[in-house]
Coordinates of all heavy atoms in Angstrom, one line a residue:
M20 N 2.6 8.0 -120.9 CA 2.2 8.3 -122.3 C 2.0 9.8 -122.4 O 1.4 10.5 -121.6 CB 0.8 7.6 -122.6 CG 0.2 8.0 -123.9 SD -0.9 6.7 -124.5 CE 0.3 5.8 -125.6
P21 N 2.5 10.4 -123.5 CA 2.4 11.8 -123.7 C 1.0 12.3 -123.9 O 0.2 11.5 -124.5 CB 3.3 12.1 -125.0 CG 3.7 10.8 -125.5 CD 3.3 9.7 -124.6
E22 N 0.7 13.5 -123.6 CA -0.6 14.0 -123.8 C -0.5 15.0 -124.9 O 0.2 16.0 -124.9 CB -1.0 14.8 -122.5 CG -2.5 14.8 -122.3 CD -3.2 16.1 -122.8 OE1 -2.7 16.6 -123.9 OE2 -4.1 16.5 -122.3
A23 N -1.2 14.7 -126.0 CA -1.1 15.4 -127.3 C -1.4 16.9 -127.3 O -0.8 17.7 -128.0 CB -1.9 14.7 -128.4
V24 N -2.3 17.4 -126.4 CA -2.7 18.8 -126.4 C -1.8 19.6 -125.4 O -1.2 20.6 -125.7 CB -4.2 19.0 -126.1 CG1 -4.5 20.4 -125.9 CG2 -5.0 18.3 -127.2
N25 N -1.8 19.2 -124.2 CA -1.2 20.0 -123.1 C 0.3 19.7 -122.9 O 1.1 20.6 -122.5 CB -1.9 19.8 -121.8 CG -3.3 20.3 -121.8 OD1 -3.5 21.4 -122.3 ND2 -4.2 19.5 -121.4
H26 N 0.7 18.5 -123.2 CA 2.2 18.1 -122.9 C 2.7 17.1 -123.9 O 3.2 16.1 -123.6 CB 2.3 17.6 -121.5 CG 2.0 18.5 -120.4 ND1 2.8 19.6 -120.1 CD2 0.9 18.6 -119.7 CE1 2.2 20.3 -119.1 NE2 1.1 19.7 -118.9
P27 N 2.7 17.5 -125.2 CA 3.3 16.6 -126.2 C 4.8 16.5 -126.0 O 5.4 17.3 -125.3 CB 3.0 17.3 -127.6 CG 2.6 18.7 -127.3 CD 2.2 18.7 -125.8
D28 N 5.4 15.5 -126.5 CA 6.8 15.2 -126.3 C 7.7 16.4 -126.5 O 8.6 16.6 -125.7 CB 7.3 14.0 -127.2 CG 6.8 12.7 -126.7 OD1 6.4 12.6 -125.5 OD2 6.7 11.7 -127.5
H29 N 7.5 17.1 -127.6 CA 8.4 18.2 -127.9 C 8.3 19.4 -126.9 O 9.2 20.2 -126.9 CB 8.2 18.7 -129.3 CG 6.9 19.4 -129.6 ND1 5.7 18.7 -129.8 CD2 6.5 20.7 -129.6 CE1 4.7 19.5 -130.0 NE2 5.2 20.7 -129.9
Y30 N 7.3 19.4 -126.1 CA 7.2 20.5 -125.0 C 8.3 20.3 -124.0 O 8.8 21.2 -123.4 CB 5.8 20.5 -124.4 CG 4.8 21.2 -125.1 CD1 4.8 21.4 -126.5 CD2 3.7 21.7 -124.5 CE1 3.8 22.0 -127.2 CE2 2.6 22.3 -125.2 CZ 2.7 22.5 -126.5 OH 1.7 23.2 -127.2
N31 N 8.6 19.0 -123.7 CA 9.5 18.7 -122.6 C 10.8 18.0 -123.2 O 11.6 17.4 -122.4 CB 8.9 17.7 -121.6 CG 7.8 18.4 -120.9 OD1 7.8 19.5 -120.5 ND2 6.7 17.6 -120.8
G32 N 11.0 18.2 -124.5 CA 12.2 17.5 -125.1 C 13.5 18.2 -124.9 O 14.5 17.7 -125.3
H33 N 13.5 19.5 -124.4 CA 14.7 20.2 -124.2 C 15.6 19.5 -123.1 O 15.0 19.0 -122.1 CB 14.4 21.6 -123.8 CG 15.6 22.5 -123.8 ND1 16.4 22.7 -122.7 CD2 16.2 23.3 -124.8 CE1 17.4 23.5 -123.0 NE2 17.3 23.9 -124.2
P34 N 16.9 19.4 -123.3 CA 17.7 18.7 -122.3 C 17.6 19.2 -120.9 O 17.8 18.5 -119.9 CB 19.1 18.9 -122.9 CG 19.0 19.2 -124.3 CD 17.6 19.9 -124.5
S35 N 17.2 20.5 -120.7 CA 17.0 21.1 -119.4 C 15.8 20.4 -118.7 O 15.8 20.5 -117.4 CB 16.8 22.6 -119.5 OG 15.6 22.9 -120.0
G36 N 14.9 19.9 -119.4 CA 13.7 19.4 -118.8 C 12.6 20.4 -118.5 O 11.5 20.2 -118.1
I37 N 13.0 21.7 -118.8 CA 12.1 22.8 -118.5 C 11.1 23.0 -119.7 O 11.6 22.9 -120.9 CB 12.9 24.1 -118.3 CG1 13.7 24.0 -117.0 CG2 11.9 25.3 -118.2 CD1 14.7 25.1 -116.9
E38 N 9.9 23.3 -119.4 CA 9.0 23.5 -120.5 C 9.2 25.0 -121.0 O 9.3 25.9 -120.2 CB 7.5 23.4 -120.1 CG 6.9 22.2 -120.7 CD 5.4 22.1 -120.4 OE1 4.6 22.8 -121.0 OE2 5.0 21.3 -119.5
C39 N 9.2 25.1 -122.3 CA 9.5 26.4 -122.9 C 8.5 27.5 -122.4 O 8.9 28.7 -122.2 CB 9.4 26.3 -124.4 SG 9.8 27.8 -125.3
I40 N 7.3 27.2 -122.2 CA 6.3 28.2 -121.9 C 6.6 28.8 -120.5 O 6.2 30.0 -120.3 CB 4.8 27.5 -121.8 CG1 3.8 28.7 -121.8 CG2 4.7 26.6 -120.7 CD1 2.4 28.2 -122.1
T41 N 7.3 28.1 -119.7 CA 7.7 28.7 -118.4 C 8.5 30.0 -118.6 O 8.4 30.9 -117.8 CB 8.5 27.7 -117.6 OG1 7.7 26.5 -117.4 CG2 8.9 28.2 -116.2
I42 N 9.3 30.0 -119.6 CA 10.2 31.1 -119.9 C 9.5 32.2 -120.8 O 9.5 33.4 -120.4 CB 11.4 30.7 -120.7 CG1 12.2 29.6 -119.9 CG2 12.4 31.9 -121.0 CD1 12.6 29.9 -118.5
V43 N 8.8 31.7 -121.8 CA 8.2 32.7 -122.8 C 7.0 33.4 -122.3 O 6.7 34.5 -122.9 CB 8.0 32.0 -124.2 CG1 9.2 31.4 -124.7 CG2 6.9 31.0 -124.1
R44 N 6.4 33.0 -121.3 CA 5.3 33.7 -120.7 C 5.7 35.2 -120.3 O 4.8 36.0 -120.2 CB 4.8 33.0 -119.4 CG 3.8 31.9 -119.7 CD 3.2 31.4 -118.4 NE 2.2 30.4 -118.8 CZ 2.1 29.2 -118.2 NH1 2.9 28.9 -117.2 NH2 1.2 28.4 -118.5
H45 N 7.0 35.4 -120.1 CA 7.5 36.7 -119.6 C 8.0 37.5 -120.8 O 8.6 38.5 -120.5 CB 8.6 36.4 -118.6 CG 8.1 35.6 -117.5 ND1 7.4 36.1 -116.4 CD2 8.3 34.3 -117.3 CE1 7.1 35.1 -115.6 NE2 7.7 34.0 -116.1
M46 N 7.6 37.2 -122.0 CA 8.1 37.9 -123.2 C 6.9 38.3 -124.0 O 5.8 37.8 -123.9 CB 9.0 37.0 -124.1 CG 10.2 36.5 -123.3 SD 11.1 35.4 -124.4 CE 12.5 35.1 -123.4
N47 N 7.1 39.2 -125.0 CA 6.1 39.6 -125.9 C 5.9 38.4 -126.9 O 6.7 37.5 -126.9 CB 6.3 40.9 -126.6 CG 7.4 41.0 -127.6 OD1 7.8 39.9 -128.1 ND2 7.9 42.2 -127.9
F48 N 4.9 38.5 -127.8 CA 4.6 37.5 -128.7 C 5.7 37.1 -129.6 O 6.1 35.9 -129.7 CB 3.4 37.9 -129.5 CG 2.9 36.8 -130.5 CD1 2.2 35.7 -130.1 CD2 3.3 36.9 -131.9 CE1 1.8 34.7 -131.0 CE2 2.9 35.9 -132.8 CZ 2.1 34.8 -132.3
N49 N 6.3 38.1 -130.3 CA 7.4 37.8 -131.2 C 8.6 37.2 -130.5 O 9.1 36.1 -131.0 CB 7.8 39.1 -131.9 CG 6.9 39.4 -133.1 OD1 6.2 38.6 -133.6 ND2 6.9 40.7 -133.5
L50 N 9.1 37.8 -129.4 CA 10.3 37.2 -128.8 C 10.0 35.9 -128.2 O 10.8 35.0 -128.2 CB 10.8 38.2 -127.7 CG 11.3 39.5 -128.3 CD1 11.8 40.4 -127.2 CD2 12.4 39.3 -129.3
G51 N 8.8 35.7 -127.7 CA 8.4 34.4 -127.1 C 8.5 33.3 -128.2 O 8.9 32.2 -128.0
N52 N 8.0 33.6 -129.4 CA 8.1 32.7 -130.5 C 9.5 32.4 -131.0 O 9.8 31.3 -131.3 CB 7.2 33.2 -131.7 CG 5.8 32.8 -131.6 OD1 5.5 31.7 -131.0 ND2 4.9 33.6 -132.0
V53 N 10.4 33.4 -130.9 CA 11.8 33.2 -131.3 C 12.4 32.2 -130.3 O 13.0 31.2 -130.8 CB 12.6 34.5 -131.2 CG1 14.1 34.3 -131.3 CG2 12.2 35.5 -132.2
V54 N 12.2 32.4 -129.1 CA 12.7 31.4 -128.1 C 12.1 30.1 -128.2 O 12.8 29.0 -128.2 CB 12.5 32.0 -126.6 CG1 12.9 30.9 -125.6 CG2 13.3 33.2 -126.4
K55 N 10.8 30.0 -128.5 CA 10.1 28.8 -128.6 C 10.6 27.9 -129.8 O 10.9 26.8 -129.7 CB 8.6 29.0 -128.8 CG 7.8 27.7 -129.1 CD 6.3 28.0 -129.4 CE 6.2 28.6 -130.8 NZ 4.8 28.7 -131.3
Y56 N 10.8 28.6 -130.9 CA 11.3 27.9 -132.1 C 12.7 27.4 -132.0 O 13.1 26.3 -132.4 CB 11.1 28.7 -133.4 CG 9.7 28.6 -133.9 CD1 8.8 29.6 -133.8 CD2 9.2 27.3 -134.3 CE1 7.5 29.5 -134.3 CE2 7.8 27.2 -134.8 CZ 7.0 28.3 -134.7 OH 5.7 28.2 -135.2
V57 N 13.6 28.2 -131.3 CA 14.9 27.8 -131.1 C 15.0 26.7 -130.0 O 15.7 25.7 -130.2 CB 15.8 29.0 -130.6 CG1 17.2 28.6 -130.1 CG2 15.9 30.0 -131.7
W58 N 14.2 26.9 -129.0 CA 14.1 25.9 -127.9 C 13.8 24.5 -128.4 O 14.3 23.5 -128.0 CB 13.1 26.4 -126.9 CG 13.1 25.7 -125.6 CD1 12.5 24.5 -125.3 CD2 13.6 26.1 -124.3 NE1 12.6 24.2 -124.0 CE2 13.3 25.2 -123.3 CE3 14.3 27.3 -123.9 CZ2 13.6 25.3 -122.0 CZ3 14.6 27.4 -122.6 CH2 14.3 26.5 -121.7
R59 N 12.7 24.5 -129.2 CA 12.2 23.2 -129.7 C 12.7 22.8 -131.1 O 12.2 21.8 -131.7 CB 10.7 23.3 -129.8 CG 10.0 23.6 -128.5 CD 8.5 23.7 -128.8 NE 7.8 24.2 -127.7 CZ 6.5 24.6 -127.7 NH1 5.8 24.5 -128.8 NH2 5.9 25.0 -126.7
A60 N 13.8 23.5 -131.6 CA 14.3 23.2 -132.9 C 14.5 21.7 -133.1 O 15.3 21.1 -132.4 CB 15.6 24.0 -133.2
G61 N 13.9 21.2 -134.1 CA 14.0 19.8 -134.5 C 13.4 18.7 -133.6 O 13.5 17.5 -133.9
L62 N 12.6 19.2 -132.6 CA 12.0 18.2 -131.7 C 10.5 17.9 -132.0 O 10.0 16.9 -131.6 CB 12.0 18.8 -130.2 CG 13.4 19.0 -129.7 CD1 13.3 19.6 -128.3 CD2 14.2 17.7 -129.6
K63 N 9.9 18.8 -132.8 CA 8.4 18.6 -133.0 C 8.2 17.7 -134.3 O 8.5 18.2 -135.4 CB 7.8 19.9 -133.2 CG 6.3 19.8 -133.4 CD 5.7 21.2 -133.5 CE 4.2 21.1 -133.8 NZ 3.5 22.4 -134.0
D64 N 7.6 16.6 -134.1 CA 7.2 15.7 -135.2 C 8.3 15.6 -136.3 O 8.0 15.7 -137.5 CB 5.9 16.3 -135.9 CG 4.8 16.4 -134.9 OD1 4.7 15.5 -134.0 OD2 4.0 17.3 -135.0
K65 N 9.5 15.5 -135.9 CA 10.6 15.3 -136.8 C 10.7 16.5 -137.8 O 11.3 16.4 -138.9 CB 10.5 14.0 -137.7 CG 10.2 12.8 -136.8 CD 11.5 12.3 -136.2 CE 11.3 10.9 -135.6 NZ 11.8 10.8 -134.3
T66 N 10.2 17.7 -137.4 CA 10.4 18.9 -138.2 C 11.8 19.2 -138.4 O 12.6 19.2 -137.4 CB 9.7 20.1 -137.5 OG1 8.3 19.7 -137.3 CG2 9.7 21.3 -138.4
P67 N 12.3 19.5 -139.6 CA 13.7 19.8 -139.8 C 14.1 21.0 -139.0 O 13.4 22.0 -138.9 CB 13.8 20.1 -141.3 CG 12.6 19.5 -141.9 CD 11.5 19.5 -140.8
T68 N 15.2 21.0 -138.4 CA 15.7 22.0 -137.5 C 15.8 23.3 -138.3 O 15.5 24.4 -137.8 CB 17.1 21.7 -137.0 OG1 17.0 20.5 -136.2 CG2 17.7 22.8 -136.1
I69 N 16.2 23.3 -139.6 CA 16.3 24.5 -140.4 C 15.0 25.2 -140.5 O 15.0 26.5 -140.5 CB 17.0 24.2 -141.8 CG1 17.4 25.5 -142.4 CG2 16.0 23.5 -142.7 CD1 18.7 26.1 -141.9
Q70 N 13.9 24.5 -140.6 CA 12.6 25.1 -140.7 C 12.3 25.9 -139.4 O 11.8 27.0 -139.4 CB 11.5 24.1 -140.9 CG 10.1 24.6 -141.1 CD 9.1 23.5 -141.4 OE1 9.4 22.6 -142.1 NE2 7.9 23.6 -140.8
D71 N 12.6 25.3 -138.2 CA 12.3 25.9 -136.9 C 13.2 27.2 -136.8 O 12.7 28.2 -136.3 CB 12.7 25.0 -135.8 CG 11.7 23.8 -135.6 OD1 10.5 24.0 -136.0 OD2 12.1 22.7 -135.2
L72 N 14.4 27.1 -137.3 CA 15.3 28.3 -137.2 C 14.9 29.4 -138.1 O 15.0 30.6 -137.8 CB 16.7 27.9 -137.5 CG 17.3 26.9 -136.4 CD1 18.7 26.5 -136.9 CD2 17.3 27.4 -135.0
K73 N 14.3 29.1 -139.3 CA 13.8 30.1 -140.2 C 12.6 30.7 -139.6 O 12.4 32.0 -139.7 CB 13.5 29.5 -141.5 CG 14.7 29.2 -142.4 CD 14.3 28.6 -143.7 CE 15.5 28.4 -144.6 NZ 15.2 27.9 -145.9
K74 N 11.7 30.0 -138.9 CA 10.6 30.6 -138.2 C 11.0 31.5 -137.1 O 10.5 32.6 -137.0 CB 9.7 29.5 -137.6 CG 8.9 28.7 -138.7 CD 8.0 27.6 -138.0 CE 7.3 26.8 -139.1 NZ 6.5 25.8 -138.4
A75 N 12.0 31.1 -136.3 CA 12.6 32.0 -135.3 C 13.1 33.2 -135.9 O 12.9 34.3 -135.4 CB 13.7 31.2 -134.5
A76 N 13.8 33.1 -137.0 CA 14.4 34.3 -137.7 C 13.2 35.2 -138.2 O 13.4 36.5 -138.1 CB 15.3 33.9 -138.8
W77 N 12.2 34.7 -138.7 CA 11.0 35.5 -139.1 C 10.5 36.3 -138.0 O 10.2 37.5 -138.1 CB 9.9 34.6 -139.7 CG 8.9 35.4 -140.4 CD1 8.8 35.7 -141.7 CD2 7.7 36.0 -139.8 NE1 7.7 36.5 -141.9 CE2 7.0 36.7 -140.8 CE3 7.2 36.0 -138.5 CZ2 5.8 37.4 -140.5 CZ3 6.1 36.7 -138.2 CH2 5.4 37.4 -139.2
Y78 N 10.2 35.7 -136.8 CA 9.7 36.4 -135.7 C 10.7 37.4 -135.2 O 10.3 38.5 -134.7 CB 9.3 35.4 -134.6 CG 7.9 34.8 -134.9 CD1 7.9 33.4 -135.3 CD2 6.7 35.5 -134.8 CE1 6.7 32.8 -135.6 CE2 5.5 34.9 -135.1 CZ 5.5 33.5 -135.5 OH 4.3 32.9 -135.7
L79 N 12.0 37.1 -135.2 CA 12.9 38.1 -134.7 C 13.0 39.3 -135.7 O 13.0 40.5 -135.2 CB 14.3 37.5 -134.6 CG 15.4 38.4 -134.1 CD1 15.1 38.9 -132.8 CD2 16.8 37.6 -134.1
N80 N 13.0 39.1 -137.0 CA 12.9 40.2 -137.9 C 11.7 41.0 -137.8 O 11.7 42.2 -137.9 CB 13.1 39.7 -139.4 CG 14.5 39.2 -139.6 OD1 15.5 39.8 -139.1 ND2 14.7 38.2 -140.4
D81 N 10.5 40.4 -137.5 CA 9.3 41.1 -137.3 C 9.4 42.0 -136.1 O 8.9 43.1 -136.1 CB 8.1 40.1 -137.2 CG 6.8 40.8 -137.3 OD1 6.5 41.5 -138.3 OD2 6.0 40.6 -136.3
E82 N 10.0 41.5 -135.0 CA 10.1 42.3 -133.8 C 11.1 43.5 -134.0 O 10.8 44.6 -133.6 CB 10.7 41.4 -132.7 CG 10.8 42.1 -131.4 CD 9.5 42.6 -130.8 OE1 8.4 42.2 -131.2 OE2 9.6 43.4 -129.8
I83 N 12.1 43.2 -134.8 CA 13.0 44.3 -135.1 C 12.3 45.4 -135.9 O 12.4 46.6 -135.6 CB 14.3 43.8 -135.9 CG1 15.2 43.0 -135.0 CG2 15.0 45.0 -136.5 CD1 16.2 42.2 -135.7
K84 N 11.5 45.0 -136.9 CA 10.8 46.0 -137.7 C 9.8 46.8 -136.8 O 9.6 48.0 -136.9 CB 10.0 45.3 -138.8 CG 10.9 44.8 -139.9 CD 10.1 44.0 -140.9 CE 11.1 43.2 -141.9 NZ 10.3 42.3 -142.7
R85 N 9.1 46.0 -135.9 CA 8.1 46.7 -135.1 C 8.8 47.7 -134.2 O 8.3 48.8 -134.0 CB 7.4 45.6 -134.2 CG 6.3 46.1 -133.3 CD 5.8 45.0 -132.4 NE 6.7 44.8 -131.3 CZ 6.9 45.6 -130.2 NH1 6.2 46.7 -130.1 NH2 7.7 45.3 -129.3
R86 N 9.9 47.4 -133.6 CA 10.6 48.3 -132.7 C 11.2 49.5 -133.5 O 11.2 50.6 -132.9 CB 11.7 47.6 -131.9 CG 11.1 46.6 -130.9 CD 12.1 46.0 -130.1 NE 11.5 45.0 -129.2 CZ 12.0 44.8 -127.9 NH1 13.0 45.4 -127.5 NH2 11.4 43.9 -127.2
E87 N 11.6 49.3 -134.7 CA 12.1 50.4 -135.5 C 11.0 51.4 -135.8 O 11.2 52.6 -135.7 CB 12.8 49.9 -136.8 CG 14.1 49.2 -136.6 CD 14.7 48.6 -137.8 OE1 13.9 48.3 -138.8 OE2 15.9 48.3 -137.9
K88 N 9.8 50.9 -136.1 CA 8.7 51.7 -136.4 C 8.3 52.5 -135.1 O 8.0 53.7 -135.1 CB 7.5 50.9 -136.8 CG 7.5 50.5 -138.3 CD 6.3 49.8 -138.6 CE 6.4 49.2 -140.0 NZ 5.2 48.3 -140.4
E89 N 8.4 51.8 -134.0 CA 8.1 52.4 -132.7 C 9.0 53.6 -132.4 O 8.6 54.6 -131.9 CB 8.2 51.3 -131.6 CG 7.3 51.5 -130.4 CD 7.3 50.3 -129.5 OE1 8.3 50.1 -128.8 OE2 6.4 49.5 -129.5
E90 N 10.3 53.3 -132.6 CA 11.3 54.4 -132.4 C 11.1 55.6 -133.3 O 11.3 56.7 -132.9 CB 12.7 53.8 -132.6 CG 13.2 52.9 -131.5 CD 14.6 52.3 -131.7 OE1 15.2 52.7 -132.7 OE2 14.9 51.4 -130.9
Q91 N 10.7 55.3 -134.6 CA 10.5 56.4 -135.5 C 9.3 57.3 -135.0 O 9.4 58.5 -135.2 CB 10.2 55.8 -136.9 CG 11.4 55.3 -137.6 CD 11.0 54.6 -138.9 OE1 9.9 54.5 -139.3 NE2 12.1 54.2 -139.6
H92 N 8.3 56.7 -134.5 CA 7.2 57.4 -134.0 C 7.5 58.2 -132.7 O 6.8 59.2 -132.5 CB 6.0 56.5 -133.8 CG 5.4 56.0 -135.1 ND1 5.6 54.8 -135.6 CD2 4.5 56.7 -135.9 CE1 5.0 54.7 -136.7 NE2 4.3 55.8 -137.0
E93 N 8.4 57.8 -132.0 CA 8.8 58.4 -130.8 C 9.7 59.6 -131.0 O 9.9 60.5 -130.2 CB 9.5 57.5 -129.8 CG 8.6 56.4 -129.2 CD 9.3 55.4 -128.4 OE1 10.5 55.4 -128.3 OE2 8.6 54.5 -127.9
S94 N 10.4 59.6 -132.2 CA 11.3 60.7 -132.5 C 10.7 62.0 -133.0 O 9.6 62.0 -133.5 CB 12.3 60.3 -133.6 OG 12.9 59.1 -133.3

C-alpha cells in the first residue's frame, strides 16, 4: 500500500523506478523543480501533463531570469 506522505505512487511512477528526489537533491531549487515536474508529468493525482510541463517551464524561466540578473551584477 502506498504511503501518502513519504512515498506516494507518483514518487515512484517513473519507468526507471528511481525516485526523483535522488537526482534533484544535487540541484538548486528551480532546476530541481524543473526536473521534478518533467519527471512526474501526468503521474500525480491524474494531473494533466500540460499543467506539469507549464510548471516546469515556469521554474526554468525563473532560473534563466535569476542567472541573467546574476551575470549583469558580475559585469
Side-chain angles (χ1 to χ4, degrees):
M20 173 155 265
E22 209 268 36
V24 174
N25 295 314
H26 297 286
D28 286 340
H29 66 279
Y30 279 24
N31 296 316
H33 190 269
S35 69
I37 297 170
E38 251 188 79
C39 184
I40 196 167
T41 304
I42 307 302
V43 301
R44 278 188 174 133
H45 305 281
M46 300 175 174
N47 72 20
F48 181 78
N49 279 337
L50 294 180
N52 275 328
V53 171
V54 172
K55 176 184 75 171
Y56 280 111
V57 170
W58 190 280
R59 300 179 190 171
L62 298 176
K63 184 180 178 184
D64 302 326
K65 308 282 188 228
T66 302
T68 301
I69 194 77
Q70 181 178 325
D71 290 329
L72 297 176
K73 284 181 178 182
K74 287 179 181 179
W77 188 93
Y78 282 105
L79 182 57
N80 286 324
D81 192 57
E82 182 64 13
I83 290 167
K84 289 174 193 171
R85 187 188 72 76
R86 289 183 185 216
E87 286 173 341
K88 283 181 187 176
E89 210 173 75
E90 286 178 9
Q91 288 174 355
H92 287 100
E93 292 174 358
S94 308

